[in-house]
Amino acid sequence: MNPFAYTRAEGVSNAVRERASEHTAKFIAGGTNIIDLMKENVERPSRLIDITHLPLATVDEMENGGIRLGALMTNADTAYHPKIAERYPLLSKAILAGASPQLRNMATDGGNLMQRTRCYYFYDVATPCNKREPGSGCSAIEGYNRIHAILGTRDTNQDIHCIATHPSDMCVALAALEAVVNVTGPYGERSIPFAEFHRLPGNTPHIDNTLQDDELITAIDLPARGFPDHYAYIKLRDRTSYAFALVSVAAALELENGRIAEARITLGGVAHKPWRRLDVEAILIDKVPSKGVFQQAADAMLEGAQGFGHNTFKIELAKRAIVRALTEATNLNSL
Amino acid sequence: MNLTTEAPLISKKTPLLPATHSVRLTVNGSERELQLAPWTSLLDALREYMHLTGTKKGCDHGQCGACTVLVDGKRINSCLTLAIMQEGKSITTIEGIVQSEGGATSERSDLHPMQQAFIEHDAFQCGYCTPGQICSAIGMMHEGHAKTADDVRELMSGNICRCGAYPNIVTAIQSVMHPQPDTL
Amino acid sequence: MTQYVGKPLSRVDGYDKVTGKAKYAAEFDVPDLLYGYVVNSAITKGKIKRIDTQAALNLPGVVKVFTHENRPKIAWFDMKYKDQDAPPGSPFRPLRDANIVYNAQPIALVVADTFEMARYAASLVEIEYEEDKHETAVETNRHKARKPSVGLTTLFKPGPPKPRGNFEESFSASPVQMTGEYMHSMEHHNPMEMFASTVVYEKGRHKSGGRYTIYDKTQGVTNSILYVSQVFDIPFKDIRVISPYVGGAFGSGLRPQYQLFMAVMAARELKRSVRVTLTRQQMFSLGYRPANVQTVALGASADGKMTALYHGVVSETSQYEDYTEVIANWGAMLYPVENYKLDHKLVHLDVATPMDMRAPGGVTGVSVLECAVDELAFNAGIDPVEFRLMNYTERDQIADLPYSSKELRECFRQGAERFGWVKRKPEPRSMRRGGTLIGWGMATGIWDAFHMPARAEAVLMVNGKLRVSSATADIGTGTYTIMTQIAADTLGMPIEDVLFKLGDSDMPAAPIEGGSWTAATVGTAVKTVCDDLAKKLFKIARKMPNSPFAKATFTDVVFADKAIQLKNDTSVSVSLQAVVDANGGAAVRETSSALPNLFKQRKYARATHSAAFAEVEVDEDFGTVRVTRLVSAIAAGKILNPKTARSQIIGGMVWGISKALEEESVMDHQFGRIMNHNLAEYHVAVNADIQDLDVIFVEENDDIVNPLGVKGVGEIGLVAVPAAIANAVFHATGKRIRTLPITLDKLL
Ligand SMILES: Cc1cc2nc3c(=O)[nH]c(=O)nc-3n(C[C@H](O)[C@H](O)[C@H](O)COP(=O)(O)OP(=O)(O)OC[C@H]3O[C@@H](n4cnc5c(N)ncnc54)[C@H](O)[C@@H]3O)c2cc1C
Ligand code: SF4
Ligand code: FES
Ligand code: FES
């Protein structure tokens, strides 16, 4: 870990100003990702701006019927919050499938969005990695890629520069729920639809998302529609708990008169961002839930998927997980 | 309070030098003032600067739970937070478990019921994960989400025990969660 | 008299462990301590061309950076680096020269006045390498495998015996057959406590040398002191190695690890106290359970009698030491096969030397053998328990000796009963629960029952309390507790009045704590010294004025209730307190050695046995396996403390689940580097992985293994479990997975 200066930020504008004035500074919230990476010498900020004293640990009702989650809500407080557990059980379930109770007590919702990949090579400064050191090469493509991406890996020239995945569970649910990320920068505030927050690696894999360096996430808005009746979060991993997803699926449905009126499917652990396809969701609309339709959607979701050896199994696994998640969400087995 | 610490430049190759600052921590009920640079984790502050070595380092990366302490009653991994960030909070380590929980409850010893249960049910072998397990178990009981044995297993999964004492850990915790009338 | 032995006593060190008072190697507070941080090689094979430490040295608080270029002069001969567990070859010598022989090899030590500064400075050490081509994969290099060389450690790890009968002929004539090739990944011990040494430096008696008190993480303080003394040429009297608590080791502490070398080197050179602690990542730069490829072929008669056994092993080792373990021999120790052929070869790779890891070789070989036997039984159409009973033997076929005791049959019976084995439907895929497949599988386990020489001291102190000590270790195994029990019983004292101490090189020597031999070995020494002390106490008592024992002999008395009593009339007694008082106010002490009774032992083979029964639930869509029930029936001689012994077995069972389903150190052969070098990606079982574990201790009496009749329980709990799980997975799915761990992708 390199030496750094420390600033305890007082207010949002103060935090943003501090960040803007020193481009090698970073925010610290729960610390569970940035301190980990600093100990590995992957992150080397010149200054940490402690944002934990900002008044952003809030849960507010919005006029449109949705809920605004302050960026400093911890993962645990979010998941167990009665309003979230009741109206957005998909989100609660996804959060509780991640990390450990201790980590969830520390980790913030803003930090969770910003957590970096768990790619082994990214973490190990002794190996080349385009994400960590642009242009040094990607060790994972020919290396050990069990936890790596199978979708969205190619740039516009069909070249591959990085096959890292975004490791979050929470974000898979947020993508399915069409959350909106509110940020404040030196030039004011803006809102980023969740689908546009994380990005694919293309030929600039060192950039994880569309947040500007000097912007602070202040809140995450959950739209009114929370799918409390028909949802499922399935996480497949190498042990029962305290492990990142190999593949995860968030499924959320609305059923009307026995037909699917609204459908959301998002995959985790398969791409550089939570993987969602509106065209695939459209396949389900107006259909009577059945294994057949679910399988059709699953196949379409994995269209274009490419394995790299150790992770090729994820293609089939993801399809089966989608079918299972949709089945669970519709309670098809008990219908 | 807007606290800012500076780290002056010393040379191009070694750009920054960490300045130390006085950091006030409340640990097990007493306030301690330490000279620390921002890069000192809460775990290292406890172990190396305060000699409270009951809190263990098993990975230093949030991957084992050996460093679990209670901050304002909540269990956290002390290896992934900076000591300087914990100013003004109340930190409880294994050394302070008894006091923090309102004193010893049994005449036989000065132990917290959870500590007693761990001994009784042989919920450890080498003992290295044990302080973390005990703090975590107490934190879990405060959280109040564990009802069944399976809940306990899941909600204690942030504490790895390489000796494999898990079944006894679950039994020990359950004996505290649901004390039998005759042992009360 | 056994007031304590055999009782489920809580650990005597429990209080220290639950209160955080138990101190481990990195936790001793020393004034003016320096912190060392190790730098490791980024490449696998080649040379350091240039190592630039200037930037690190420029930092305030950095005292020194040790590299191969400036390291002090130390022992030159290989012999000096040989520790008690060193395999044949030339031990790795940290900072010896510019050569890199394995990835993550330690190449520099940064010493600074804080841990954080040392860590930062380490990141500024610049290294330029000249890289050579490396080979790190067992599979692609197996054709280069050759016979291991023989050395001292081979005494406990015999190579495969000469073939017996004619395997080829009998195999091809066997109506029932199976053949299979199996692969196991490399695994790392990963005890929760990371390796650390705190070296306290004090000015010595002589001008030149200092005195060193070393708090080391080790399974044998004697091993550490020998190593330090030889390598650094420091006389024994100036070194003391202390290790009261060890945060798990599982074999990784059987050899001195490089932090010990580094810390002593720095302390000696800087004449300061130094602590070196490894990081979790560096824990993957130590020894490990070697990756291996095994081939098995079994033949049986139509009615299920095993006739032919082939077990061939290729396992990895480093380029500099021939590490072996007993992998191939277990089949011939478990089954009365007339024709066997066993083979074990090593592939030399650019890796660190492997090390003993819990049930070394045993779990590796048996995990394969017992899957093969399951397959053979299945091919013969015979229930696996029945099949094993049909092929039961009271003799070890290799040694050609009877077992001193073997209650394995009882393990099968009691284990099967507890598990409810009779309800098993033999057909694979025939049992279900809801949407998941259920599988029931079983396997046999075996492990050696060793007994080694050891010494112990017993002191009846002036306050009438007993202090017993031996330089052994308690790595969580319960040594403190069982030794206290033995001592208390032998001298008829309440357990509160007995203090057992260990882990100090000033104490009488004991062997490294491994191989499950500590209970037998140190237990016998403790028993012997307490018996000897009893005789001494009796002598004193007899000479006391008006002694009621004036006419009695030692055989006429018993030790009970803190007193010596006449057997015939226990009201005639002299308190132990009175005996010490009569000793002129001085404590009464005795030191004794206990040697194995080779004369008695050599006519027998000695082993522990077990039977494990596993239930798994398999979600077929996802390939996920859960072990929902596990019963282990153990025959391990006398159980000194059922509570701590059960914990040992449970720990072994958890390891078995972990090994079968999760554990694997994955090396990227592009780099020759282990990539999942942390506890987030090297998966060991967590609490939620463990469901219902049930332990049965089968009664087994044995007065041949040692006077206490104990055989040790450290390894046997693990041995049978991975095979039982793999067999259960077959029963659930109809798939034989021959590569461990059985991760979900293998079942898709
Ligand atoms: C062992 C381990 C296992 C884990 N397992 C899982 C898992 O299974 N599933 C899962 O989803 N996650 C898992 N996590 C990741 C964990 O959820 C994240 O580390 C956590 O959510 C990050 O939040 P934080 O507040 O601690 O972020 P920090 O570490 O404080 O910050 C992370 C990054 O976000 C930036 N940042 C923080 N807050 C803001 C903000 N408001 N605005 C702008 N930038 C900000 C920081 O500058 C930093 O770059 C695991 C972590 C560990 C260590
Ligand atoms: S996958 Fe991405 S993060 Fe991993 S090594 Fe390649 S470039 Fe780096
Ligand atoms: S030391 Fe903090 S989680 Fe392992
Ligand atoms: S008791 Fe040894 S790690 Fe848990």
Side-chain angles (χ1 to χ4, degrees):
Chain A
M1 185 185 284
N2 65 310
F4 55 88
Y6 172 83
T7 298
R8 193 175 290 153
E10 253 183 302
V12 169
S13 55
N14 165 244
V16 170
R17 215 171 29 246
E18 288 280 351
R19 180 74 178 80
S21 68
E22 189 170 329
H23 73 280
T24 47
K26 287 240 161 178
F27 296 124
I28 181 167
T32 61
N33 191 230
I34 191 145
I35 294 182
D36 181 16
L37 289 166
M38 286 168 68
K39 287 180 180 177
E40 301 283 7
N41 295 311
V42 175
E43 299 272 14
R44 296 166 154 272
S46 57
R47 174 185 300 278
L48 285 181
I49 301 163
D50 178 357
I51 58 172
T52 56
H53 293 252
L54 304 186
L56 298 175
T58 48
V59 175
D60 294 313
E61 296 274 359
M62 295 194 299
E63 272 173 20
N64 65 8
I67 281 188
R68 173 163 291 179
L69 285 171
L72 287 170
M73 280 294 286
T74 65
N75 285 181
D77 288 345
T78 307
Y80 291 119
H81 195 283
K83 284 184 186 165
I84 303 300
E86 205 174 289
R87 283 157 60 182
Y88 304 92
L90 172 64
L91 181 59
S92 290
K93 195 166 177 203
I95 292 174
L96 295 177
S100 71
Q102 290 95 315
L103 287 164
R104 296 192 297 261
N105 278 343
M106 307 171 78
T108 63
D109 293 350
N112 194 300
L113 265 55
M114 297 296 290
Q115 68 175 300
R116 310 212 61 190
T117 184
R118 306 299 295 199
C119 170
Y120 322 106
Y121 305 92
F122 174 73
Y123 259 81
D124 186 340
V125 293
T127 59
C129 165
N130 282 332
K131 188 184 270 301
R132 185 168 26 77
E133 245 178 273
S136 62
C138 170
S139 300
I141 296 171
E142 302 273 303
Y144 178 48
N145 46 44
R146 179 176 179 78
I147 58 175
H148 289 76
I150 48 172
L151 286 162
T153 51
R154 291 179 185 273
D155 72 3
T156 45
N157 295 325
Q158 296 300 303
D159 291 332
I160 303 178
H161 305 280
C162 173
I163 56 172
T165 58
H166 192 263
S168 169
D169 288 293
M170 181 184 191
C171 290
V172 181
L174 290 177
L177 292 169
E178 293 188 344
V180 174
V181 185
N182 298 312
V183 309
T184 301
Y187 307 107
E189 300 176 7
R190 65 182 179 119
S191 296
I192 309 171
F194 209 82
E196 286 162 32
F197 187 81
H198 296 103
R199 60 188 291 282
L200 292 177
N203 56 13
T204 50
H206 59 289
I207 305 170
D208 290 351
N209 52 51
T210 54
L211 191 77
Q212 298 301 305
D213 275 350
D214 49 11
E215 284 177 322
L216 177 81
I217 301 172
T218 52
I220 299 160
D221 290 349
L222 304 174
R225 189 178 263 163
F227 302 93
D229 299 324
H230 297 288
Y231 73 93
Y233 188 75
I234 289 180
K235 179 175 182 180
L236 297 163
R237 45 186 155 176
D238 276 327
R239 63 183 172 196
T240 313
S241 186
Y242 207 6
F244 287 93
L246 291 164
V247 164
S248 70
V249 188
L253 299 172
E254 269 187 19
L255 301 179
E256 266 168 36
N257 309 322
R259 286 178 188 273
I260 299 172
E262 178 77 31
R264 307 277 171 82
I265 312 171
T266 308
L267 287 173
V270 297
H272 202 251
K273 61 185 288 190
W275 189 257
R276 207 183 144 202
R277 293 250 315 248
L278 300 182
D279 56 337
V280 174
E281 289 169 3
I283 298 177
L284 294 173
I285 302 302
D286 283 339
K287 298 271 165 45
V288 176
S290 74
K291 286 259 149 107
V293 209
F294 295 166
Q295 186 64 52
Q296 202 189 333
D299 291 340
M301 229 13 219
L302 272 296
E303 206 177 32
Q306 178 195 359
F308 295 87
H310 300 101
N311 69 348
T312 309
F313 72 92
K314 283 188 178 183
I315 301 173
E316 181 58 28
L317 187 65
K319 288 183 188 173
R320 296 182 186 185
I322 293 168
V323 174
R324 177 78 63 87
L326 289 169
T327 309
E328 245 181 50
T330 40
N331 312 322
L332 195 61
N333 283 336
S334 56
L335 278 184
Chain B
M1 182 187 49
N2 186 351
L3 178 89
T4 295
T5 77
E6 287 312 322
L9 288 178
I10 55 170
S11 83
K12 192 162 159 272
K13 262 209 164 157
T14 57
L16 291 161
L17 175 83
T20 61
H21 302 272
S22 102
V23 175
R24 259 201 292 274
L25 294 178
T26 309
V27 181
N28 301 328
S30 50
E31 194 170 298
R32 295 274 296 269
E33 190 164 328
L34 302 168
Q35 284 299 314
L36 296 177
W39 64 5
T40 299
S41 68
L42 176 58
L43 176 59
D44 288 333
L46 292 169
R47 283 172 66 83
E48 305 299 337
Y49 296 82
M50 304 177 76
H51 308 298
L52 290 171
T53 52
T55 309
K56 305 301 180 194
K57 187 186 277 191
C59 69
D60 216 14
H61 289 277
Q63 303 163 352
C64 77
C67 64
T68 304
V69 298
L70 301 171
V71 172
D72 292 341
K74 283 192 178 168
R75 49 177 169 162
I76 66 155
N77 302 105
S78 60
C79 66
L80 288 187
T81 187
L82 304 174
I84 200 170
M85 293 175 72
Q86 301 302 329
E87 279 191 310
K89 309 242 170 82
S90 166
I91 299 154
T92 306
T93 69
I94 190 73
E95 289 91 346
I97 282 297
V98 177
Q99 299 94 303
S100 77
E101 299 279 311
T105 51
S106 102
E107 288 173 6
R108 278 182 300 150
S109 75
D110 56 346
L111 296 178
H112 184 280
M114 193 65 79
Q115 293 171 313
Q116 194 69 54
F118 266 60
I119 295 179
E120 196 70 34
H121 295 280
D122 209 34
F124 51 85
Q125 293 172 38
C126 76
Y128 199 77
C129 71
T130 311
Q133 301 276 4
I134 290 172
C135 288
S136 189
I138 291 170
M140 179 182 72
M141 285 183 65
H142 289 167
E143 288 159 13
H145 303 298
K147 305 279 185 281
T148 65
D150 272 339
D151 294 344
V152 172
R153 290 185 184 112
E154 168 61 26
L155 294 173
M156 285 300 293
S157 281
N159 293 82
I160 291 179
C161 174
R162 183 55 158 162
C163 294
Y166 299 128
N168 294 356
I169 291 170
V170 175
T171 312
I173 294 172
Q174 285 198 296
S175 78
V176 180
M177 280 168 57
H178 316 288
Q180 299 300 306
D182 57 343
T183 61
L184 266 181
Chain C
M1 245 171 323
T2 57
Q3 199 190 338
Y4 298 113
V5 169
K7 303 273 157 57
L9 258 67
S10 292
R11 280 171 209 261
V12 297
D13 47 340
Y15 179 86
D16 281 356
K17 285 178 174 171
V18 301
T19 51
K21 291 193 171 78
K23 280 200 185 292
Y24 299 80
E27 300 177 346
F28 290 85
D29 181 17
V30 185
D32 292 325
L33 185 66
L34 293 174
Y35 291 82
Y37 197 94
V38 179
V39 181
N40 301 75
S41 164
I43 68 157
T44 301
K45 191 177 180 182
K47 270 194 173 49
I48 299 171
K49 253 180 27 197
R50 190 180 64 87
I51 184 157
D52 184 349
T53 58
Q54 200 49 54
L57 287 167
N58 283 349
L59 291 172
V62 173
V63 177
K64 177 137 185 153
V65 181
F66 292 92
T67 69
H68 66 280
E69 290 173 351
N70 68 354
R71 68 153 167 80
K73 275 214 162 54
I74 38 180
W76 178 246
F77 290 110
D78 265 352
M79 263 310 289
K80 301 264 187 189
Y81 293 81
K82 288 234 175 207
D83 60 87
Q84 295 174 325
D85 196 32
S90 157
F92 175 73
R93 295 155 59 162
L95 309 189
R96 179 187 195 170
D97 52 30
N99 289 320
I100 303 294
V101 295
Y102 71 90
N103 197 299
Q105 157 187 335
I107 53 175
L109 180 77
V110 178
V111 184
D113 59 6
T114 66
F115 164 71
E116 295 87 343
M117 187 57 82
R119 176 175 62 188
Y120 173 48
S123 73
L124 299 183
V125 175
E126 265 181 44
I127 306 134
E128 226 179 281
Y129 302 97
E130 192 178 295
E131 250 188 289
D132 289 344
K133 202 172 146 351
H134 61 259
E135 292 293 345
T136 51
V138 176
E139 242 196 296
T140 49
N141 288 284
R142 53 198 284 199
H143 58 281
K144 296 183 201 155
R146 53 185 163 82
K147 254 180 106 131
S149 28
V150 178
L152 259 184
T153 45
T154 326
L155 277 179
F156 299 98
K157 299 170 170 182
K162 290 208 177 72
R164 181 167 87 173
N166 188 329
F167 164 77
E168 283 81 4
E169 236 169 56
S170 71
F171 178 73
S172 51
S174 300
V176 184
Q177 296 180 341
M178 71 70 59
T179 53
E181 187 171 287
Y182 300 77
M183 257 171 321
H184 292 177
S185 305
M186 177 190 265
E187 293 168 32
H188 281 79
H189 308 71
N190 278 309
M192 286 320 294
E193 179 202 16
M194 297 177 287
F195 273 89
S197 303
T198 303
V199 179
V200 183
Y201 180 90
E202 288 160 306
K203 270 232 184 70
R205 284 178 273 255
H206 317 288
K207 252 194 227 135
S208 54
R211 285 170 54 75
Y212 303 82
T213 307
I214 304 170
Y215 299 95
D216 190 29
K217 176 182 174 81
T218 175
Q219 286 171 258
V221 285
T222 316
N223 202 16
S224 300
I225 195 173
L226 276 172
Y227 180 84
V228 169
S229 168
Q230 290 182 31
V231 170
F232 295 98
D233 194 24
I234 306 171
F236 281 131
K237 61 175 173 30
D238 290 331
I239 317 170
R240 183 171 172 200
V241 179
I242 302 177
S243 184
Y245 289 105
V246 179
F250 314 108
S252 59
L254 290 173
R255 301 188 68 184
Q257 298 295 2
Y258 61 76
Q259 92 290 341
L260 174 65
F261 174 97
M262 295 286 192
V264 175
M265 172 191 65
R268 194 182 70 150
E269 210 46 24
L270 301 169
K271 303 199 182 331
R272 296 273 305 269
S273 299
V274 178
R275 172 179 301 155
V276 179
T277 308
L278 300 189
T279 63
R280 182 52 65 184
Q281 179 171 342
Q282 287 164 345
M283 295 293 284
F284 288 82
S285 64
L286 310 177
Y288 50 88
R289 197 195 294 287
N292 57 81
V293 183
Q294 301 182 53
T295 313
V296 180
L298 300 176
S301 63
D303 59 355
K305 276 270 171 232
M306 282 170 73
T307 49
L309 158 69
Y310 171 76
H311 194 159
V313 179
V314 174
S315 66
E316 69 186 317
T317 192
S318 64
Q319 302 286 7
Y320 50 91
E321 281 172 319
D322 276 15
Y323 172 85
T324 54
E325 45 190 32
V326 180
I327 299 177
N329 297 5
W330 304 100
M333 293 167 71
L334 271 175
Y335 298 104
V337 213
E338 283 306 321
N339 306 282
Y340 61 68
K341 191 170 149 185
L342 312 171
D343 186 37
H344 188 166
K345 292 202 174 67
L346 294 181
V347 202
H348 293 75
L349 298 171
D350 301 307
V351 294
T353 307
M355 273 193 79
D356 291 335
M357 177 164 161
R358 202 170 198 174
V363 69
T364 309
V366 171
S367 294
V368 162
L369 174 79
E370 284 295 289
C371 288
V373 169
D374 193 73
E375 195 168 337
L376 189 66
F378 182 78
N379 293 349
I382 301 171
D383 172 82
V385 178
E386 188 53 42
F387 187 84
R388 284 168 174 86
L389 287 170
M390 290 168 59
N391 290 285
Y392 199 83
T393 175
E394 304 289 353
R395 290 177 79 80
D396 170 351
Q397 310 295 305
I398 298 178
D400 199 20
L401 292 172
Y403 282 105
S404 60
S405 60
K406 179 178 172 180
E407 295 295 343
L408 177 59
R409 200 175 264 126
E410 223 13 54
C411 293
F412 289 141
R413 196 186 64 74
Q414 294 186 27
E417 189 181 293
R418 181 78 59 89
F419 188 82
W421 185 258
V422 287
K423 292 190 218 119
R424 181 178 185 263
K425 298 187 194 151
E427 262 319 288
R429 308 181 59 81
S430 61
M431 294 170 72
R432 273 169 197 277
R433 186 182 297 143
T436 58
L437 293 165
I438 299 292
W440 287 6
M442 60 81 59
T444 309
I446 177 170
W447 183 253
D448 299 297
F450 291 113
H451 184 197
M452 312 274 283
R455 287 161 58 75
E457 183 190 54
V459 184
L460 188 64
M461 299 187 292
V462 284
N463 61 4
K465 302 203 174 191
L466 179 68
R467 182 181 181 281
V468 183
S469 60
S470 176
T472 182
D474 187 335
I475 56 175
T477 39
T479 315
Y480 276 115
T481 309
I482 57 175
M483 296 310 151
T484 310
Q485 291 172 267
I486 293 171
D489 273 352
T490 312
L491 284 169
M493 297 181 69
I495 204 144
E496 302 76 32
D497 286 354
V498 180
L499 186 65
F500 182 75
K501 301 286 266 178
L502 52 70
D504 185 336
S505 60
D506 280 358
M507 295 170 180
I512 41 182
E513 189 191 20
S516 289
W517 60 51
T518 299
T521 300
V522 182
T524 305
V526 165
K527 174 93 177 87
T528 306
V529 77
C530 289
D531 278 336
D532 291 349
L533 181 68
K535 288 186 192 125
K536 205 167 191 175
L537 294 169
F538 175 69
K539 256 193 203 156
I540 299 169
R542 233 175 67 156
K543 290 197 187 130
M544 284 165 65
N546 306 323
S547 170
F549 304 137
K551 293 205 181 100
T553 65
F554 185 67
T555 48
D556 297 332
V557 297
V558 289
F559 282 70
D561 301 332
K562 299 205 240 187
I564 311 177
Q565 307 171 338
L566 267 187
K567 261 184 204 157
N568 305 338
D569 181 0
T570 51
S571 68
V572 178
S573 90
V574 174
S575 76
L576 294 180
Q577 185 67 59
V579 179
V580 224
D581 293 347
N583 195 38
V588 187
R589 49 182 80 230
E590 186 65 273
T591 307
S592 310
S593 307
L595 302 171
N597 186 340
L598 296 179
F599 186 73
K600 207 168 168 184
Q601 290 177 355
R602 67 170 189 205
K603 293 178 216 140
Y604 296 92
R606 288 154 289 128
T608 53
H609 289 88
S610 70
F613 296 82
E615 175 183 278
V616 298
E617 244 179 50
V618 181
D619 185 319
E620 230 193 344
D621 286 347
F622 301 151
T624 42
V625 179
R626 300 222 347 108
V627 179
T628 41
R629 237 152 34 93
L630 196 53
V631 175
S632 280
I634 307 287
K638 187 168 177 58
I639 299 305
L640 297 171
N641 180 332
K643 194 181 224 174
T644 55
R646 178 176 173 273
S647 287
Q648 282 284 289
I649 300 299
I650 293 243
M653 291 162 82
V654 170
W655 270 59
I657 294 172
S658 204
K659 177 179 176 65
L661 304 178
E662 297 172 3
E663 278 184 55
E664 124 178 79
S665 306
V666 183
M667 189 172 274
D668 180 337
H669 299 298
Q670 295 178 102
F671 302 110
R673 190 170 176 87
I674 294 164
M675 291 316 304
N676 59 340
H677 43 48
N678 57 65
L679 289 179
E681 298 299 338
Y682 181 95
H683 299 113
V684 302
V686 294
N687 205 320
D689 288 316
I690 306 304
Q691 303 279 307
D692 186 6
L693 305 188
D694 203 345
V695 181
I696 302 167
F697 288 114
V698 167
E699 193 178 324
E700 189 175 69
N701 297 309
D702 192 326
D703 56 9
I704 293 154
V705 278
N706 52 62
L708 297 170
V710 308
K711 288 180 170 176
V713 287
E715 344 265 333
I716 191 63
L718 162 59
V719 180
V721 173
I725 292 171
N727 293 338
V729 167
F730 168 74
H731 183 237
T733 63
K735 288 184 190 161
R736 290 270 177 211
I737 307 300
R738 299 183 205 269
T739 308
L740 295 188
I742 306 175
T743 46
L744 55 80
D745 46 304
K746 298 191 177 108
L747 283 170
L748 279 184

